[in-house]
């Protein structure tokens, strides 16, 4: 299996995404998150602002798409260069450099899918690296609840901001098609979720017979095991091998897999996500299944209290979906409830 992942995105590959600014880190010399979101809104024209903004309490904030249809908001490709730069700066404020590049690679894969689907009606319009949509909820400010979504094919970033703490960033949806881009295509050699796949396959290969019996699920095609392709959910039933029944090396592999996901975010947000994982660590379960027909078909689930991470490649073996949920507290509902209780005396927990 190739260990190549997010590499080789220079030259024409990056240029195809249009005007990008790659700002990493958030320091005192840089605008804060609310300022960056405000800059994006200010750079939109009035019609775009109207199309791309909702009240924070609007039900639209809880919408998430796992297929690139019925997308709402302002299309990134229709923004001015100034607004595009502002949008990329906002992404850079919540993502790590690796996370930002992974989202760029996912968007770039639209050109590869365009080649795979060449000849289909409307493919040039539908498979477009700039067919991703911005939506802002509430008025971005340091002392307000607000959020934003950046969403399109194989990507849904959902960020909720509450005063005084790191942003909530779940649910998260990432996808990759092809699984490993063949030579001769625009993103040749790129495997957007290649490192994540390598880690779980190595973990599964390390299991002894008794461990494997607990971890192995029956094979199901067409994402038959996936739970997370929903807006929100509660903690799923515990299935698979418990982390506490792994040896130290296996636990390190599992932790490394989860760290791949947490490390997509900026340092402050990554620490908050790792704290959530750590709180569930002793209750985590690992479940896995792989088949050779179609080649490279697999599914993995890591779940515990407040944690659900899944990757599925059972739809043809060359089309991965990955999701990360905080069951019972997606879209920052736990942070919002805690803020209302602490600062307003309102009992808001469900």
């Amino acid at each position: 299996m190739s260990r190549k992942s997010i590499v080789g995105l220079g030259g024409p590959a990056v240029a195809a995404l249009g005007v990008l600014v790659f700002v990493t880190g958030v320091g005192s010399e840089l605008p804060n998150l609310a300022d960056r979101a405000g800059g994006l809104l200010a750079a939109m024209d009035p019609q775009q602002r109207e199309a791309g903004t909702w009240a924070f309490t609007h039900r639209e904030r809880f919408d998430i798409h796992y297929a690139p249809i019925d997308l709402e908001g302002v299309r990134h490709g229709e923004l001015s260069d100034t607004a595009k730069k502002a949008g990329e700066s906002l992404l850079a404020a919540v993502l790590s450099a690796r996370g930002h590049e992974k989202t760029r690679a996912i968007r770039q894969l639209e050109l590869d899918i365009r080649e795979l689907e060449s000849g289909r009606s409307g493919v040039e319009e539908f498979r477009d690296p700039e067919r991703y949509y911005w939506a802002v909820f509430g008025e971005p400010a340091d002392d307000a609840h607000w959020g934003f979504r950046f969403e399109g094919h194989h990507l849904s970033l959902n960020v909720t901001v509450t005063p005084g703490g790191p942003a909530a960033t779940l649910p998260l949806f990432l996808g990759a098609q092809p699984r490993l881009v063949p030579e001769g295509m625009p993103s040749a050699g790129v495997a957007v979720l290649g490192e994540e796949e390598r880690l779980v396959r190595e973990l599964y290969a390390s299991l002894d017979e008794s461990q494997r019996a607990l971890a192995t699920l029956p094979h199901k095609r067409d994402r038959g095991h996936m739970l997370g392709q929903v807006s929100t959910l509660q903690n799923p039933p515990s299935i698979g091998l418990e982390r506490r029944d792994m040896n130290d090396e296996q636990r390190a592999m599992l932790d490394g897999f989860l760290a791949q996901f947490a490390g997509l975010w900026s340092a402050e947000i990554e620490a908050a996500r790792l704290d959530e994982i750590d709180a569930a660590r002793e209750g985590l379960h690992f479940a896995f299944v792989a088949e050779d027909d179609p080649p490279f078909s697999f599914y993995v689930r890591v779940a515990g209290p407040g944690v659900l991470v899944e990757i599925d490649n059972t739809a043809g073996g060359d089309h991965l979906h990955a999701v990360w949920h905080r069951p019972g507290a997606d879209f920052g509902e736990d942070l919002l409830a805690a803020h209302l209780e602490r600062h307003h005396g309102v009992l808001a927990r469900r």
Side-chain angles (χ1 to χ4, degrees):
M1 177 182 303
S2 171
R3 294 192 177 207
K4 194 170 185 182
S5 53
I6 308 302
V7 295
L9 289 180
V14 170
L17 290 175
V19 179
L20 298 178
V21 169
F22 212 65
V23 184
T24 58
V26 182
S28 58
E29 75 281 4
L30 296 175
N32 65 18
L33 198 58
D35 287 341
R36 294 191 192 207
L40 171 61
L41 292 175
M44 294 179 183
D45 64 36
Q47 291 77 22
Q48 290 171 335
R49 281 196 297 275
E50 182 176 358
T53 56
W54 285 261
F56 181 75
T57 54
H58 197 282
R59 60 189 297 179
E60 178 65 28
R61 188 169 68 86
F62 300 96
D63 206 2
I64 179 171
H65 292 87
Y66 297 98
I69 56 176
D70 299 326
L71 301 171
E72 297 287 348
V74 177
R75 184 167 171 160
H76 185 78
E78 295 177 352
L79 296 174
S80 67
D81 287 352
T82 299
K84 288 179 182 178
K85 291 178 182 179
E88 294 294 338
S89 178
L90 178 56
L91 293 180
V94 295
L95 294 166
S96 66
R98 179 170 64 84
H100 198 176
E101 185 152 343
K102 191 181 285 280
T103 67
R104 295 170 73 186
I106 288 169
R107 289 181 271 168
Q108 169 66 16
L109 286 179
E110 292 301 283
L111 296 181
D112 300 278
I113 301 172
R114 183 184 291 179
E115 287 201 11
L116 292 173
E117 298 178 348
S118 178
R120 290 190 180 183
S121 176
V123 68
E124 297 286 325
E125 160 68 16
F126 197 65
R127 303 304 190 191
D128 180 357
E130 295 201 329
R131 190 176 177 269
Y132 290 78
Y133 288 75
W134 290 99
V136 177
F137 304 98
E139 186 71 28
D142 293 339
D143 59 352
H145 304 300
W146 62 279
F148 74 89
R149 181 179 66 216
F150 185 64
E151 185 175 69
H153 189 210
H154 286 161
L155 180 63
S156 185
L157 303 177
N158 298 274
V159 177
T160 303
V161 182
T162 58
T169 54
L170 304 179
L172 170 69
F173 169 50
L174 307 172
Q177 184 187 10
R179 166 185 166 272
L180 172 62
V181 182
E183 293 301 319
M185 298 188 72
S187 304
V190 168
V192 168
L193 293 167
E195 183 66 6
E196 293 83 350
E197 178 180 349
R198 181 187 70 81
L199 287 166
V200 293
R201 286 188 182 274
E202 288 189 359
L203 172 55
Y204 186 69
S206 77
L207 302 181
D208 63 29
E209 186 176 348
S210 62
Q211 290 175 315
R212 190 167 294 192
L214 292 169
T216 305
L217 298 176
H219 185 255
K220 293 184 179 180
R221 292 179 177 269
D222 298 325
R223 314 201 195 284
H225 279 298
M226 267 199 117
L227 303 175
Q229 292 199 155
V230 294
S231 177
T232 62
L233 77 169
Q234 297 302 309
N235 283 312
S238 297
I239 61 169
L241 175 67
E242 293 187 69
R243 182 182 180 277
R244 63 187 178 185
D245 291 332
M246 298 177 178
N247 62 37
D248 288 346
E249 183 179 358
Q250 292 164 344
R251 292 188 191 104
M253 291 183 199
L254 180 62
D255 295 346
F257 169 72
L258 293 170
Q260 280 291 310
F261 283 87
L264 297 173
W265 305 109
S266 65
E268 183 184 32
I269 295 172
E270 176 188 16
R273 298 296 82 82
L274 287 174
D275 284 346
E276 293 162 3
I277 292 169
D278 192 56
R281 204 171 298 277
E282 294 312 309
L284 291 174
H285 288 68
F286 169 74
F288 187 82
V289 58
E291 284 287 328
D292 294 329
D293 182 21
F296 304 108
S297 177
F298 79 97
Y299 168 80
V300 61
R301 179 189 303 171
V302 178
V307 174
L308 173 67
V309 177
E310 298 175 285
I311 306 178
D312 184 285
N313 191 39
T314 62
D318 197 33
H319 187 170
L320 290 91
H321 281 193
V323 296
W324 180 7
H325 279 273
R326 183 155 167 73
D330 280 319
F331 298 100
E333 289 297 275
D334 56 335
L335 300 182
L336 294 168
H339 179 87
L340 289 172
E341 290 174 21
R342 185 179 305 115
H343 298 285
H344 303 281
V346 176
L347 187 62
R349 296 186 187 274
R350 295 176 179 176

